[in-house]
Amino acid sequence: MSKPYKKIKLTDNDAVVIHNTLKKGVHSSRTIIRCQILRDNAQGKHAQDIATDLGVCVARVYQTLNRYEKEGLNAALTEKPRSGQPRKVTPEIEAHITAIACSAPIQGRGRWTLKLIAEQLVKLEYIDSISEDAIASVLKKATLNLG
């Protein structure tokens, strides 16, 4: 069973902002789609028709309409910040990796390898664990070559 028809009433100011966003300037595709959802709904289109026309799911239409009703136009058009996972390799760790790679290799070795650098970082307790790929990325960014 589908959700009942839900129609929002745009204020005159919000309608102008939506019109200008759709007609002028450069905006993200998500912002454009959200503006189109609000405009189409205010014109009387049903959520399923809007979703089909714009190529989004019906839930996205209802989420946008609910955010407009509860939080206003700005909240409906923009995204909330996403937390994400914090960086494991901080600039401080990058500096330690670069310093180790530029120093003389440990005794008995001719040069540093990615594995040796990772082991040295753990041994010196700069980090709990780190992949060789992460070290390679840091060295590439610093344009260092172990060879």
Side-chain angles (χ1 to χ4, degrees):
M1 185 179 208
S2 63
K3 288 188 173 184
Y5 176 65
K6 177 180 195 169
K7 184 177 179 183
I8 58 167
K9 174 77 172 115
L10 292 175
T11 65
D12 292 338
N13 188 35
D14 289 349
V16 169
V17 170
I18 288 172
H19 177 76
N20 290 339
T21 301
L22 292 173
K23 297 295 179 188
K24 300 177 185 175
V26 178
H27 304 282
S28 72
S29 60
R30 291 180 181 186
T31 301
I32 298 292
I33 287 174
R34 290 178 181 128
C35 284
Q36 291 171 330
I37 289 170
L38 294 172
R39 179 199 61 197
D40 291 350
N41 181 271
Q43 291 174 350
K45 281 190 176 180
H46 289 270
Q48 183 63 48
D49 296 333
I50 295 170
T52 304
D53 292 346
L54 298 178
V56 296
C57 64
V58 179
R60 169 58 53 209
V61 174
Y62 281 109
Q63 288 170 354
T64 303
L65 297 175
N66 287 335
R67 283 186 69 186
Y68 177 76
E69 283 184 330
K70 293 178 183 172
E71 302 174 43
L73 181 65
N74 192 35
L77 298 182
T78 58
E79 295 182 12
K80 294 179 181 176
R82 299 177 186 187
S83 62
Q85 183 176 2
R87 290 185 61 194
K88 188 172 185 179
V89 181
T90 62
E92 181 182 341
I93 299 296
E94 289 177 1
H96 290 302
I97 291 170
T98 305
I100 291 171
C102 292
S103 67
I106 57 176
Q107 191 171 355
R109 297 295 183 137
R111 64 180 181 174
W112 286 105
T113 64
L114 297 176
K115 185 174 183 178
L116 284 175
I117 293 173
E119 290 171 357
Q120 188 71 9
L121 286 168
V122 173
K123 180 180 173 185
L124 295 173
E125 297 179 356
Y126 292 135
I127 196 167
D128 295 332
S129 66
I130 188 168
S131 70
E132 294 173 23
D133 290 336
I135 293 172
S137 296
V138 170
L139 295 176
K140 184 176 181 181
K141 188 168 85 172
T143 62
L144 292 174
N145 188 350
L146 293 178

